[in-house]
Amino acid sequence: MNLINRLFRSTPDPREALRPLWYRVVALSREPEWYAECGVADTVPGRFDMISTVLSFVLLRLERG
């Protein structure tokens, strides 16, 4: 979808409903315990790994429901 269509459409973006879930996934992956106690590297790749891991758990949970 191009920028003009997004600016002038009358219906809300359907992705907005998923934004709180994404923010929660990122918040869970940034909890200090992962890095201080569990040995995850506090680097860009380490943070990416944690976001991927938490998102994987969320997707598995959604599949069950």
Side-chain angles (χ1 to χ4, degrees), residues 5 7 11 16 24 27 38-39 44-45 49-51 56-57 64-65:
N5 286 343
L7 289 175
T11 60
E16 288 299 318
R24 184 65 180 143
C38 297
V44 172
D49 289 344
M50 282 313 306
I51 290 172
S56 297
F57 289 138
R64 275 193 270 153

Side-chain angles (χ1 to χ4, degrees), residues 25-40:
V25 166
V26 172
L28 286 171
S29 69
R30 290 183 176 173
E31 288 187 0
E33 292 82 18
W34 294 118
Y35 306 97
E37 298 172 14
C38 297
V40 177

Side-chain angles (χ1 to χ4, degrees), residues 39-59:
V40 177
D42 192 9
T43 60
V44 172
R47 288 182 179 245
F48 176 80
D49 289 344
M50 282 313 306
I51 290 172
S52 300
T53 302
V54 172
L55 184 59
S56 297
F57 289 138
V58 168
L59 291 174

